[in-house]
Amino acid sequence: MWSSSARAATSGSTAGWCSPTRSRSCSSATLTPTRRRRAWRSRWARSATRRGSRASRTSSHGGSYNAYTSSETTNFYFDVNVDNFEEALDRFAQFFIRPLMSQDAVLREIKAVDSEHKKNLLSDGWRMYQLQKHLASKDHPYHKFSTGSWETLETKPKERGLDIRHELLKFYENYSANLMHLVVYGKESLDCIQGLVDRLFSDIKNTDRISFKCPSHPLSEEHLQLLVKALPIEEGDYLRLIWPIIPSIQFYKEGPCHYLSHLIGHEGEGSIFHIIKELGWAMNLMAGESTNSTEYSFFSVSMRLTDAGHEHMEDIVGWIFKYLFLLKEDGVHEWIFNELVAINETEFHYQDKIDPISYVTGTVSSMRLFPPEEWLVGSALPSKYVPQRIMMILDQLSPERVRIFWESKKFEGCTTSAEPWYNTSYSVENVTPSVIQQWIQKAPTEKLHLPEPNMFIPKDFALKEVTEKVTFPKVLRKTPLSRLWYKPDLLFSTPKVHIIIDFHCPLSSHSPEAYVSTDLFVDLLVDYLNAYAYDAQIAGLYYSIYLTSDGFQVSLGGYNDKMRVLLNAILKQIANFEVKPNRFSALKETTVKDYQNFNFRQPHSQASFYVSLILEDKKWPVAEKLEALAKLESDSLAKFLPNLLSKTFLECYIQGNIEPSEAKSIAQEIEDTIFNTPNTMFKSMSPSQYLTKRVIMLENELKCHYQIEGLNQKNENSSVIQYIQVHQDDASSNIKLQLFSLIASQPAFNQLRTVEQLGYITSLSLRSDYGVWALQVLIQSTVKDPSYLDARIDEFFKMFESKIHELSDKDFKRNVKSLIDSKLEKFKNLWEESHFYWGEIDAGILKFDRVESEVALLRELKKEEFIAFFDQYIKLDAPQRRTLSVQVFSGNHSAEFKKAAAEADPPKTYRITDIFGFKRSRPLYSSLKGGPGRITMD
């Protein structure tokens, strides 16, 4: 069945327990409150990528394309500038009508799949997911290897006399129109879009194939009542209880797993998590359904344990079952169900508009699962109260049906088996219901109880009247203690507000000791607020507190009705902060392990850290932070905080459904609570103490390189990042660099990855460090060492020079138009708009009309000016080219590392052996905070 969808209300999104698959996709499942909070925090990430690293952006039409696979479906999608939509849709359709699948392309894709697999070999997420699959029925598809490799797609097929291209063509026969769905999103009318779809997609054949159904559940009795002890790669202990259940998609209007995950995953007083957290046994808890199929599903409860929690694993499992028994004895409560219904209806009605590519991928996935009238809603609005259905799922969460997966490095030397694909060491024990009953009986007697009614559910959705049409943020209030920026919502007409409070504390990062102390202070703040603020997040009031380059930041967003209640609680917690030794110990332990796990990051992530370490004037090595953290105690943190907070300035930003008078009132409340409450540690800061991070300036015509062995030599991947520093924020230079990135990113991807097959992770992108703009080319590879990769990047720039010089007027104008179109794309929601404006304030640039000014310059840009910019700053021998190459060598390339270390440096190169000595020898760019028209403390 083919269906098309024009622009409409966004489908109520659901997020699943993403089991890692080859494409990093996940099926729809229950959205637990914890997942909601993480979704909120991801909005504030400073950079984001499309799902899956296979996304590729076209050079001339501002689009991207990608695909992902899940257990039962494949989802292909793309976006493109409006003017080129019909042509792109035609090409998209042809892939399903007449796919080429050339022999060369097939071989390249096998190599790409193998490279991706090798990237995942030391990833605990992939390893543990495959272990769960491995301990399932061998004759069930769920048991199979999740992704693919050179062995499975090339070596073994050849041994069996198979031609993999021929097998692909045979597999293509499964693509029958009756099993396919299509969503098209565009500005044209529905009739126009439907006509376009009919014309372009009608040639896709319909062979009336029957959809594949899994024969049974992958877990039989022999796979239940298990305790699996597994040895992870990274530091940290994890515990997960898993039960096979009937997929709740079959009862999506009744939402049984939604109800249960809400209660089991709750973090307020009386919950499982609140009790084990207060005892210092766990750092988080998540509960929800993991849907791999419409035919089978799992419900899981998982948590990160502390060392003490590891010793009390049996007590924790006993408590979980105690709570499940409590839910059975207490019965299903209609008021809880109705509360969740109200929250979901509000969330659905006032949901934010998302980018089109996310909209179409979510909607097309719903079309397979729900009737047409539910495609835009899916399982987002459970409305039928059927307590028997909830009890049915609850009955399945029994000791007789549980599988317990326990990960810890403490199991080193105690495992007996190895999973074949990732070589994960594990052992299996039987854990009978009688054993679990013993754990229940000996678990401590702390009181478990259901949550109280949620006081944060919003009631007032009235829109405030905007009397002054403020185009850009303006300073509404200014004192020696704080400054308030304000902008009303003029675009989205939604009862929401976004508040940012930036605590500028210059002593927060002046040493490794200060950094880790501030880090733990922030973690403790979040920890103390968790039980109280959890209900707020369930009800659509989200907050985050996190470290910044010069202090910490509090960010709140959501419905404005109860926002001040949550804000007041956060402010009081900050103002009245005290170090609790028991929570300090638990958080310090976890932070130590997180720092230690830097050794197990992907090499390209380590390389990115080294780039920042070399560039930034206040960046500390992980080893130094670990050393400082080891010496930090609760009493020394308590002594540090008065010094940290004695020099504080608050930069505040409020945008949304709020009047100026209320914004001023909030700013006054913030200032009074932070600076004017009894015993507060916060003091004002003088203008001379307003310091910010700065970036070192590389030298013209000099290529610096830093070579280091990877911190985990078992990882087969090496990586290189070639960083080309170009200019400090300037509209004219910005547009030229952006235009080059637009033109070059796809050819770089094609040459370095597709043609030369250097590595699965390959990209050319823009980078900005505190307003210093650069190009960055990244490759991670198992096949070649970083020195070779770096040379190939140089060769690409050498080759691409002729492409730039020979750029036709037509191609130049097309690319300029593509960049203009992308800049003129409207903000989709309040968060996008406020983050753009806050970015200008945070950087101190205040170019609120950045889009308009840069578009105006683009319209006047001459091709000759663009080529001159390329020749001056980017091409291989450009007089103002400033390059840094960071190279991380894997154990596979240890011989190449030794050779590179022994080689003499070529002309115009500089080998960095002492990062901090190098930094001290280089000048710094000026800070953008300060100067005419920019932010100062005065």
Side-chain angles (χ1 to χ4, degrees):
M1 175 174 60
W2 288 102
S3 299
S4 63
S5 171
R7 182 173 300 194
T10 311
S11 168
S13 61
T14 56
W17 280 70
C18 277
S19 302
T21 62
R22 176 173 168 248
S23 52
R24 296 152 301 281
S25 69
C26 62
S27 305
S28 296
T30 302
L31 182 62
T32 68
T34 302
R35 299 287 293 186
R36 280 199 187 96
R37 183 171 68 241
R38 291 186 170 183
W40 159 260
R41 286 176 178 170
S42 69
R43 286 177 177 154
W44 312 128
R46 298 193 182 274
S47 62
T49 56
R50 302 286 188 195
R51 265 190 297 180
S53 55
R54 288 181 178 273
S56 178
R57 185 156 293 278
T58 62
S59 61
S60 55
H61 302 304
S64 62
Y65 55 90
N66 205 347
Y68 67 84
T69 55
S70 60
S71 295
E72 296 180 352
T73 64
T74 303
N75 195 322
F76 302 87
Y77 54 95
F78 77 92
D79 61 2
V80 72
N81 288 344
V82 169
D83 292 347
N84 308 105
F85 184 57
E86 182 174 346
E87 179 187 359
L89 192 63
D90 186 15
R91 295 187 182 195
F92 185 71
Q94 290 302 313
F95 173 77
F96 303 100
I97 297 169
R98 300 181 187 87
L100 295 178
M101 296 194 196
S102 68
Q103 188 69 52
D104 182 54
V106 169
L107 184 60
R108 288 200 306 267
E109 186 62 16
I110 292 173
K111 290 180 179 178
V113 169
D114 185 64
S115 180
E116 183 180 11
H117 169 62
K118 288 177 178 175
K119 172 182 71 71
N120 299 330
L121 281 173
L122 299 181
S123 165
D124 283 329
W126 289 88
R127 292 162 65 85
M128 298 307 162
Y129 176 59
Q130 188 63 44
L131 179 58
Q132 293 172 39
K133 291 158 60 69
H134 178 66
L135 298 174
S137 300
K138 289 182 172 55
D139 57 352
H140 195 282
Y142 177 77
H143 173 80
K144 294 183 177 181
F145 180 38
S146 295
T147 59
S149 64
W150 184 262
E151 179 186 5
T152 59
L153 296 174
E154 177 69 10
T155 304
K156 287 188 174 181
K158 279 190 174 179
E159 289 175 355
R160 294 160 54 195
L162 298 177
D163 182 327
I164 198 67
R165 180 178 180 271
H166 180 67
E167 295 301 312
L168 271 174
L169 292 171
K170 284 169 59 179
F171 183 79
Y172 167 68
E173 299 301 317
N174 292 297
Y175 281 72
S176 176
N178 68 302
L179 299 180
M180 301 167 75
H181 298 86
L182 174 71
V183 173
V184 177
Y185 181 116
K187 70 172 186 175
E188 297 82 2
S189 68
L190 183 61
D191 288 344
C192 178
I193 292 177
Q194 184 171 341
L196 192 63
V197 168
D198 289 342
R199 176 165 57 86
L200 297 180
F201 289 86
S202 59
D203 288 342
I204 294 181
K205 60 185 177 183
N206 181 3
T207 57
D208 290 320
R209 283 198 172 258
I210 299 174
S211 180
F212 172 79
K213 300 289 184 183
C214 287
S216 60
H217 202 287
L219 304 182
S220 57
E221 287 188 10
E222 65 180 293
H223 305 113
L224 305 177
Q225 299 181 28
L226 300 182
L227 171 60
V228 181
K229 297 177 180 179
L231 191 62
I233 298 295
E234 297 188 3
E235 297 291 339
D237 293 5
Y238 293 85
L239 181 67
R240 178 172 295 158
L241 281 69
I242 301 174
W243 296 266
I245 62 168
I246 299 172
S248 65
I249 190 70
Q250 299 179 16
F251 324 108
Y252 66 93
K253 282 292 186 183
E254 300 159 19
C257 285
H258 189 94
Y259 180 96
L260 291 172
S261 67
H262 168 69
L263 295 178
I264 300 168
H266 208 279
E267 298 181 19
E269 291 188 5
S271 67
I272 300 167
F273 176 66
H274 185 258
I275 289 174
I276 59 178
K277 188 196 87 165
E278 290 301 305
L279 288 168
W281 293 357
M283 300 308 298
N284 59 32
L285 184 145
M286 294 179 286
E289 183 185 16
S290 159
T291 303
N292 291 81
S293 166
T294 56
E295 303 300 316
Y296 62 92
S297 188
F298 306 96
F299 192 96
S300 64
V301 179
S302 62
M303 66 200 74
R304 181 175 183 175
L305 303 178
T306 62
D307 289 342
H310 180 90
E311 300 303 318
H312 288 272
M313 183 277 291
E314 295 176 1
D315 293 327
I316 294 171
V317 174
W319 257 327
I320 292 171
F321 278 103
K322 268 189 178 181
Y323 193 78
L324 295 176
F325 293 156
L326 169 67
L327 295 182
K328 287 184 181 181
E329 293 170 2
D330 215 34
V332 179
H333 292 261
E334 189 170 6
W335 72 265
I336 296 177
F337 184 85
N338 290 338
E339 191 175 85
L340 292 173
V341 167
I343 291 170
N344 284 325
E345 287 180 347
T346 300
E347 183 177 359
F348 184 80
H349 185 67
Y350 292 105
Q351 65 189 290
D352 298 313
K353 184 180 177 182
I354 58 176
D355 59 284
I357 205 162
S358 298
Y359 175 83
V360 297
T361 53
T363 304
V364 81
S365 297
S366 293
M367 293 169 69
R368 171 176 161 268
L369 301 171
F370 305 103
E373 64 273 16
E374 304 286 355
W375 283 346
L376 300 183
V377 179
S379 59
L381 295 176
S383 56
K384 294 181 180 177
Y385 178 61
V386 184
Q388 300 90 336
R389 195 74 71 195
I390 296 171
M391 292 301 294
M392 179 192 75
I393 299 295
L394 186 56
D395 286 340
Q396 294 177 356
L397 309 185
S398 67
E400 289 79 10
R401 297 169 55 81
V402 75
R403 286 154 53 101
I404 303 172
F405 287 81
W406 189 9
E407 305 166 35
S408 176
K409 284 200 165 184
K410 299 179 182 68
F411 298 141
E412 184 89 53
C414 301
T415 55
T416 57
S417 304
E419 187 277 322
W421 295 106
Y422 292 85
N423 199 35
T424 303
S425 297
Y426 71 96
S427 60
V428 179
E429 303 171 16
N430 285 110
V431 53
T432 63
S434 61
V435 169
I436 290 178
Q437 189 60 42
Q438 294 173 21
W439 295 354
I440 294 171
Q441 291 171 355
K442 78 180 185 70
T445 58
E446 273 78 3
K447 182 65 175 175
L448 292 162
H449 61 80
L450 298 179
E452 298 294 324
N454 192 335
M455 62 172 284
F456 285 101
I457 296 176
K459 300 291 193 299
D460 181 5
F461 301 103
L463 298 181
K464 307 295 176 68
E465 184 177 353
V466 179
T467 55
E468 184 182 359
K469 307 298 182 183
V470 180
T471 305
F472 299 129
K474 68 175 186 177
V475 176
L476 204 58
R477 181 180 181 275
K478 185 177 178 182
T479 76
L481 302 174
S482 69
R483 175 171 36 224
L484 169 64
W485 296 84
Y486 164 77
K487 186 183 183 302
D489 175 18
L490 301 177
L491 295 177
F492 307 106
S493 299
T494 181
K496 298 179 180 180
V497 68
H498 184 197
I499 299 174
I500 296 174
I501 312 166
D502 191 68
F503 289 73
H504 187 99
C505 307
L507 297 182
S508 64
S509 58
H510 76 279
S511 68
E513 290 77 12
Y515 180 91
V516 299
S517 297
T518 310
D519 193 10
L520 267 177
F521 164 63
V522 169
D523 285 347
L524 285 165
L525 274 176
V526 175
D527 185 80
Y528 296 169
L529 285 162
N530 187 68
Y532 175 83
Y534 187 74
D535 272 348
Q537 295 179 98
I538 293 173
L541 267 178
Y542 307 105
Y543 82 98
S544 59
I545 307 175
Y546 49 85
L547 235 56
T548 63
S549 62
D550 46 26
F552 66 99
Q553 191 174 112
V554 177
S555 181
L556 300 91
Y559 306 108
N560 51 273
D561 183 22
K562 306 289 176 63
M563 179 68 75
R564 292 191 74 163
V565 178
L566 177 61
L567 174 61
N568 184 259
I570 294 172
L571 293 174
K572 285 183 177 178
Q573 186 67 69
I574 293 172
N576 301 315
F577 182 85
E578 61 180 40
V579 180
K580 299 177 182 178
N582 64 322
R583 296 309 301 152
F584 171 86
S585 298
L587 286 162
K588 175 184 172 181
E589 176 194 308
T590 303
T591 305
V592 166
K593 291 177 181 177
D594 288 342
Y595 284 161
Q596 290 172 338
N597 284 334
F598 175 76
N599 293 351
F600 304 106
R601 282 194 201 172
Q602 289 287 337
H604 72 83
S605 179
Q606 294 181 12
S608 182
F609 174 82
Y610 293 132
V611 171
S612 297
L613 187 63
I614 291 169
L615 292 175
E616 296 178 23
D617 68 329
K618 294 178 187 175
K619 186 90 172 179
W620 309 109
V622 174
E624 291 186 12
K625 289 188 286 189
L626 262 172
E627 183 180 353
L629 191 57
K631 299 174 183 176
L632 185 66
E633 300 298 337
S634 59
D635 57 345
S636 55
L637 176 61
K639 291 175 183 176
F640 166 79
L641 291 176
N643 291 326
L644 169 71
L645 306 178
S646 66
K647 297 175 177 59
T648 300
F649 181 78
L650 305 182
E651 196 84 64
C652 304
Y653 181 76
I654 300 178
Q655 178 175 339
N657 186 42
I658 190 167
E659 295 170 345
S661 59
E662 187 179 1
K664 288 181 181 179
S665 172
I666 289 174
Q668 183 67 59
E669 179 184 356
I670 293 170
E671 195 173 289
D672 287 345
T673 307
I674 294 302
F675 291 104
N676 300 325
T677 51
N679 304 319
T680 182
M681 293 180 283
F682 287 87
K683 308 293 180 187
S684 63
M685 181 175 67
S686 61
S688 63
Q689 295 169 320
Y690 195 92
L691 303 174
T692 60
K693 278 193 175 182
R694 295 164 66 184
V695 175
I696 72 157
M697 185 183 295
L698 299 177
E699 188 173 330
N700 290 343
E701 296 188 275
L702 183 68
K703 183 173 185 177
C704 303
H705 60 272
Y706 177 67
Q707 297 168 321
I708 190 170
E709 290 185 289
L711 297 175
N712 179 14
Q713 287 290 287
K714 292 182 180 178
N715 194 316
E716 297 181 12
N717 293 276
S718 291
S719 187
V720 64
I721 290 180
Q722 189 174 121
Y723 167 92
I724 305 167
Q725 193 176 74
V726 182
H727 67 280
Q728 193 167 33
D729 189 81
D730 168 78
S732 177
S733 297
N734 291 351
I735 61 168
K736 295 167 189 172
L737 189 63
Q738 292 162 9
L739 185 59
F740 177 80
S741 177
L742 178 70
I743 294 172
S745 58
Q746 200 279 333
F749 180 89
N750 181 66
Q751 179 63 35
L752 299 173
R753 184 188 134 164
T754 305
V755 176
E756 298 189 34
Q757 290 285 300
L758 294 178
Y760 177 75
I761 298 178
T762 303
S763 66
L764 181 151
S765 59
L766 293 176
R767 174 174 176 141
S768 176
D769 297 86
Y770 305 102
V772 176
W773 287 71
L775 282 171
Q776 176 174 283
V777 184
L778 180 154
I779 305 176
Q780 180 166 293
S781 176
T782 58
V783 296
K784 295 293 183 181
D785 71 275
S787 295
Y788 180 90
L789 301 176
D790 187 61
R792 296 313 302 165
I793 294 171
D794 283 348
E795 189 62 30
F796 167 77
F797 279 104
K798 185 177 180 181
M799 176 271 295
F800 204 65
E801 181 180 340
S802 61
K803 303 288 185 183
I804 294 295
H805 284 196
E806 296 166 7
L807 193 65
S808 69
D809 291 341
K810 180 181 178 182
D811 286 341
F812 175 75
K813 291 176 181 178
R814 186 170 68 244
N815 281 288
V816 168
K817 183 181 183 304
S818 176
L819 184 55
I820 289 174
D821 288 345
S822 66
K823 285 182 174 294
L824 292 178
E825 184 179 339
K826 293 179 180 179
F827 296 116
K828 290 178 283 298
N829 52 57
L830 180 70
W831 324 117
E832 275 195 9
E833 184 188 27
S834 62
H835 270 283
F836 171 79
Y837 290 130
W838 171 252
E840 294 295 322
I841 295 167
D842 186 44
I845 307 172
L846 308 185
K847 289 183 180 177
F848 298 132
D849 64 343
R850 177 181 295 274
V851 170
E852 294 81 0
S853 62
E854 291 187 354
V855 165
L857 288 170
L858 273 168
R859 295 191 194 281
E860 300 298 322
L861 182 64
K862 302 292 190 294
K863 185 178 72 170
E864 293 74 21
E865 296 172 340
F866 170 69
I867 294 174
F869 176 84
F870 170 80
D871 288 344
Q872 185 77 7
Y873 295 100
I874 301 174
K875 76 174 184 177
L876 202 57
D877 56 351
Q880 289 185 257
R881 195 182 209 258
R882 296 172 295 203
T883 311
L884 169 66
S885 175
V886 171
Q887 303 171 15
V888 177
F889 289 74
S890 70
N892 281 6
H893 299 131
S894 57
E896 289 87 347
F897 173 74
K898 293 175 183 176
K899 180 182 177 183
E903 286 178 345
D905 295 330
K908 295 186 177 182
T909 63
Y910 178 83
R911 184 190 304 271
I912 299 174
T913 55
D914 174 5
I915 288 179
F916 295 95
F918 172 75
K919 290 167 70 167
R920 286 190 291 268
S921 72
R922 299 302 309 151
L924 298 173
Y925 278 96
S926 62
S927 170
L928 292 171
K929 288 189 176 182
R934 291 175 175 164
I935 288 182
T936 68
M937 278 282 292
D938 300 329

